[in-house]
Amino acid sequence: VISDFKDPSYVSSLPIPIITALILSRIVGCIFFQGTKRMRVEHFMRFCAVFLLFIAAGFFSQSMHKWQELDAFGTWSPIAARPWQNQRVFDATDCCNDKTNR
C-alpha cells in the first residue's frame, strides 16, 4: 500500500467527512434546483453575472495586493505623497471631554 499516512488510524476517520460532504452536497443541490426551477432565466443569469463579478473583484484585489508586496509598482511613501493624511481635522476636547464630563 502506497500512501502518505504514517499511521493507519488516520484513514479510519476519513469516511465520516466524505459521507457528510456527499449528503450535504446532495441537499444543497436539490435546494438549488428547486429554487431555480421557478425562477426566470433572466433573473438567474443576472444573479450569476453579479456573483461572478464579485468573485472577479476579489481575485483582482488579491492579485494587486500580491503585486504590491513584490514592489512591482515602485516605492510609495504615504507621508511624502500625502502630507495631509493622518492630520487632526478638528478638536472636540472642549465640548466632548470624557475626563471632565462636560
Side-chain angles (χ1 to χ4, degrees), residues 1-25:
V1 175
I2 300 172
S3 70
D4 293 335
F5 297 112
K6 305 294 186 237
D7 185 18
S9 65
Y10 291 128
V11 180
S12 65
S13 64
L14 281 178
I16 295 171
I18 291 172
I19 291 171
T20 306
L22 288 173
I23 291 171
L24 286 177
S25 65

Side-chain angles (χ1 to χ4, degrees), residues 39-54:
M39 186 185 294
R40 294 179 57 192
V41 176
E42 296 90 22
H43 297 301
F44 178 73
M45 295 302 284
R46 188 171 295 138
F47 169 76
C48 288
V50 170
F51 184 67
L52 285 175
L53 281 175
F54 278 109

